Amino acid sequence: MILFLILIRSKLIHESKCSIPLPRSKNGKLEIDIKKHHAHYEDADDFAAAILQGEVEHHQLEPGSFHGELSQVVSEKVMVGTHRMNRIIYQTGMASKGYTVFLLPGDMSQDFSWRKQRLTGKRIGLLKGGMKHYSVLPSNFFGTPVSLSNQY
């Protein structure tokens, strides 16, 4: 959430320097439509279907009950999510067209495979809109995908 506010603040400062008018209502307040979604899931497929930052499929690779937590904050130009899952998941999908996605590790000690690359807490994943991806997410995965509109 803090990252989202920093990005919005950055956008406002940039626009004020460039003299681009911000959307305002008749009373002068900024009009930014922000949607929030937070839910817990007991099924990996339901979790994947709820992700707004692209088309995603989940395949659980280990036995046991799935527990996932998904939080998303979405505006026209920025989408920020937090993903937590307790089981090893093979994830495939495609990023939303028109957006660039940065995958920030939520746990600096986690280590996983993403697009044939090993991501550790010191690396950030990058995915252009429409690009396919696949990864093996470890049990107790925590990640924060941040999607920025290419029209920003």
Side-chain angles (χ1 to χ4, degrees):
M1 185 65 175
I2 292 171
L3 179 60
F4 181 74
L5 296 175
I6 290 169
L7 292 170
I8 293 293
R9 182 176 182 273
S10 166
K11 170 79 169 149
L12 297 178
I13 290 170
H14 174 73
E15 285 188 349
S16 65
K17 289 179 182 175
C18 296
S19 303
I20 298 171
L22 297 171
R24 296 190 180 271
S25 65
K26 290 180 182 180
N27 64 8
K29 292 186 178 181
L30 285 177
E31 287 186 347
I32 300 174
D33 184 27
I34 298 175
K35 296 178 178 126
K36 296 181 234 173
H37 171 263
H38 179 84
H40 295 268
Y41 295 89
E42 304 299 318
D43 182 85
D45 293 327
D46 291 343
F47 184 101
I51 295 172
L52 300 173
Q53 291 173 280
E55 299 172 19
V56 179
E57 289 184 19
H58 281 170
H59 307 278
Q60 186 171 322
L61 298 180
E62 68 177 327
S65 299
F66 175 87
H67 301 288
E69 182 179 353
L70 176 64
S71 296
Q72 300 174 98
V73 178
V74 179
S75 74
E76 180 184 352
K77 304 284 186 186
V78 179
M79 293 185 270
V80 179
T82 59
H83 300 202
R84 293 180 186 271
M85 296 171 275
N86 71 326
R87 297 290 177 206
I88 298 172
I89 299 291
Y90 176 61
Q91 183 184 75
T92 61
M94 185 182 317
S96 295
K97 290 184 180 179
Y99 287 85
T100 300
V101 181
F102 300 88
L103 177 60
L104 310 174
D107 178 352
M108 298 304 272
S109 66
Q110 72 187 359
D111 183 358
F112 63 98
S113 168
W114 188 69
R115 301 196 76 228
K116 294 185 181 179
Q117 299 294 319
R118 183 173 167 218
L119 286 186
T120 63
K122 297 177 184 177
R123 295 182 81 181
I124 294 175
L126 175 65
L127 193 63
K128 293 183 180 182
M131 282 179 74
K132 292 183 179 181
H133 79 279
Y134 48 90
S135 61
V136 177
L137 306 175
S139 58
N140 299 313
F141 173 77
F142 174 45
T144 304
V146 177
S147 301
L148 301 177
S149 170
N150 295 335
Q151 303 301 313
Y152 206 85

